[in-house]
Amino acid sequence: MPNSAAPNPTAPPTAATATAAAPVGAPVGGHPDRCPECSAPVDPDPRFTAWCPACEWNLVPAEEAGEDAARSAKELARERAAAERTERLFEDVVAGRADTTRRDWLAASALAVPVHLVTVAVTGSGLWLLVIGNTPLRCLGALLLAVAFLLRPRLGRVPSGQGVLTRAEAPALYGLADRIAAELGAPPIGVIQVDESFNASMAVVGLRRTSVLTLGLPLWETLDGPQRIAVLGHELAHRVNGDHRQGLWLGSAMRSLAHWHDLSLPRERTAPGYGVVALLTMIGDYFGNAFLHLLSGLLFRAYLVLDRLTARAGQQAEYHADELGARVGSTGAARESLAAVLLRAAAGTVTMRLRAEIQSRPRSGRRDAAPGPDTDALWPQLRAHLAAIPPLERERLLRRSRRSGHAVDASHPPTHLRIAALARRTPVPAAVVCPPEEAAAIDTELAPHRTRVARTLLAG
Ligand SMILES: [Zn+2]
Ligand SMILES: [Zn+2]
């Protein structure tokens, strides 16, 4: 849902989130009472970044701003242009003017033709040479087939093993997902898996196009019932929101281009030596890498063209999925679930703090070993910490995402625009509710995964 480029909660927190994790009452040096820019009163809570809602002083503290400063002027200009396009689309969507979707999908699908033709041509030539050729041509044919294997479209695999929930293991969770899918007119979900990300996502994989819903337990565990339904609604809506980026034709062409680009990245040069062989190797490396450089540049541009063509229609589909998520979970819950995604860094801080606590605990077996926190303590701590984040800090995170969110992930519109789009629509009540006994059954089904995911997160 929220953001496919989402960093995992195990990622090191920024200075600002580390501040958010300081214990209650811990003074933070230099926390002013008044804004140094406009003298408006500043919230004195020392646990959070001091900032001014009136003039936005220190909205992005220097430590966080470092990421922006590291980008080149060209990158920043490209991001600004993308931001303007995104804002324009937002205005079009909320005004009901976005009408280029069909044309964009058609153009992108047409551009996918040459990509698939390359694979077909290489495979066909390899087979043809194998059938009609003499021995050297047959060798060439086998080589072409090996290349075709490398170039093959990546369709993804149905996950198995740890984290995958079968229908027999999780009847309540699948039951809820099925009810939401039925309400949205979407096909029932194929596979549900849980992982340690602060995210939720949907993929369609394999030749049989199995839908795979991935629920990141750190996000799931911090949402309430209606918010969970809204998140499930958004993800299941991906089957009916007209998004073709996951489709067999367009999705596999885009993945092929990305994969070919990775394959064609120039390799490290071999260490220089002496003699004719070393000289020839160096010359070979030079020309080889120059060719690869050109090829990877071309593939990257082709990918960008497809990405640009699908970005507008894809983002429009995301707004539509948000609307459908709101229909099943209520507009309020959908907005809250999007705002929760902004707490990812704070969740990472909780994980890091508990991990440090567990690691510094005296080893059990020692007589004086004090009972320390258990890995299962992660979930209550995570819920309590995120619930205690005051509205002013939430507002800072929202405004911060407005300033920097455009560059995060091209597949979804920036979070603040998604929240704003929902706010502009007439609020709707939840079409699907999860009674307490069903919620309790889902909790029980997820219990072993909670323990496993907590162990994974805290073992790092
Ligand atoms: Zn989505
Ligand atoms: Zn101010």
Side-chain angles (χ1 to χ4, degrees):
M1 144 212 192
N3 190 328
S4 60
N8 166 313
T10 50
T14 60
T17 54
T19 305
V24 179
V28 173
H31 200 107
D33 293 342
R34 294 201 160 265
C35 167
E37 299 280 330
C38 72
S39 302
V42 167
D43 184 48
D45 191 336
R47 295 173 302 161
F48 301 98
T49 301
W51 72 289
C52 175
C55 71
E56 298 200 341
W57 163 78
N58 210 33
L59 174 70
V60 184
E63 308 83 23
E64 293 177 36
E67 295 162 20
D68 284 357
R71 291 205 288 278
S72 69
K74 203 174 159 191
E75 280 171 326
L76 287 173
R78 196 160 43 203
E79 282 165 14
R80 259 196 304 277
E84 279 163 21
R85 282 197 301 275
T86 308
E87 295 273 357
R88 269 201 306 276
L89 174 65
F90 166 77
E91 291 302 336
D92 286 348
V93 165
V94 293
R97 285 196 302 264
D99 50 4
T100 55
T101 318
R102 182 181 285 271
R103 197 192 63 200
D104 290 351
W105 286 132
L106 274 174
S109 300
L111 268 181
V113 173
V115 177
H116 291 305
L117 270 183
V118 169
T119 317
V120 171
V122 175
T123 314
S125 317
L127 284 173
W128 187 65
L129 289 178
L130 265 188
V131 173
I132 61 113
N134 50 22
T135 310
L137 284 179
R138 280 193 182 150
C139 289
L140 185 64
L143 190 71
L144 282 178
L145 283 184
V147 172
F149 181 73
L150 271 180
L151 299 183
R152 75 191 184 281
R154 299 304 202 267
L155 302 178
R157 279 207 190 137
V158 179
S160 58
Q162 263 192 350
V164 173
L165 295 147
T166 61
R167 280 190 174 262
E169 284 163 349
L173 181 58
Y174 274 94
L176 177 63
D178 286 347
R179 270 174 33 233
I180 295 171
E183 174 65 32
L184 298 176
I189 190 73
V191 175
I192 300 179
Q193 64 174 354
V194 295
D195 70 5
E196 50 278 355
S197 63
F198 195 84
N199 203 359
S201 60
M202 168 74 103
V204 186
V205 298
L207 258 182
R208 296 169 68 184
R209 310 313 288 151
T210 308
S211 54
V212 179
L213 171 69
T214 305
L215 296 174
L217 273 191
L219 176 66
W220 178 263
E221 288 296 317
T222 51
L223 298 176
D224 68 17
Q227 292 164 0
R228 288 174 180 174
I229 291 176
V231 167
L232 289 173
H234 174 97
E235 297 310 330
L236 292 163
H238 271 277
R239 303 302 307 279
V240 288
N241 67 344
D243 188 350
H244 301 294
R245 286 172 304 177
Q246 292 269 3
L248 191 60
W249 182 257
L250 198 50
S252 62
M254 291 186 78
R255 274 195 300 278
S256 287
L257 278 177
H259 180 65
W260 297 354
H261 171 257
D262 289 351
L263 283 178
S264 65
L265 284 174
R267 303 284 173 264
E268 287 238 330
R269 301 235 168 119
T270 27
Y274 297 100
V276 179
V277 176
L279 183 69
L280 287 176
T281 314
M282 231 168 71
I283 294 172
D285 273 355
Y286 179 80
F287 283 107
N289 276 349
F291 171 73
L292 286 177
H293 195 76
L294 194 76
L295 185 64
S296 63
L298 275 174
L299 289 167
F300 183 64
R301 274 183 183 73
Y303 182 86
L304 277 187
V305 170
L306 263 185
D307 187 57
R308 176 77 68 85
L309 263 178
T310 54
R312 187 180 157 89
Q315 291 204 356
Q316 216 174 313
E318 292 295 343
Y319 285 117
H320 187 42
D322 282 340
E323 226 183 314
L324 295 176
R327 195 168 97 200
V328 289
S330 83
T331 304
R335 286 173 62 184
E336 287 157 12
S337 69
L338 285 171
V341 176
L342 298 173
L343 306 179
R344 177 181 296 119
T349 307
V350 177
T351 309
M352 202 178 75
R353 190 176 52 188
L354 186 59
R355 188 191 303 146
E357 230 175 283
I358 288 175
Q359 282 171 357
S360 65
R361 183 174 62 186
R363 294 258 169 262
S364 59
R366 272 176 53 176
R367 264 213 225 139
D368 57 345
D374 193 61
T375 47
D376 274 340
L378 175 66
W379 306 112
Q381 282 195 19
L382 199 58
R383 278 190 284 269
H385 183 83
L386 298 197
I389 293 176
L392 199 63
E393 175 63 6
R394 290 172 192 267
E395 175 67 20
R396 185 184 79 83
L397 294 172
L398 186 63
R399 290 203 210 173
R400 191 198 179 292
S401 92
R402 184 177 308 164
R403 202 178 273 184
S404 59
H406 302 287
V408 175
D409 171 22
S411 74
H412 282 72
T415 307
H416 77 274
L417 290 183
R418 294 171 64 189
I419 295 175
L422 285 172
R424 297 255 201 120
R425 301 195 186 280
T426 315
V428 290
V432 175
V433 285
C434 177
E437 57 277 14
E438 189 182 15
I442 292 174
D443 265 2
T444 309
E445 290 166 4
L446 291 176
H449 296 277
R450 268 198 298 279
T451 305
R452 182 182 54 78
V453 167
R455 279 196 192 133
T456 310
L457 284 174
L458 297 171

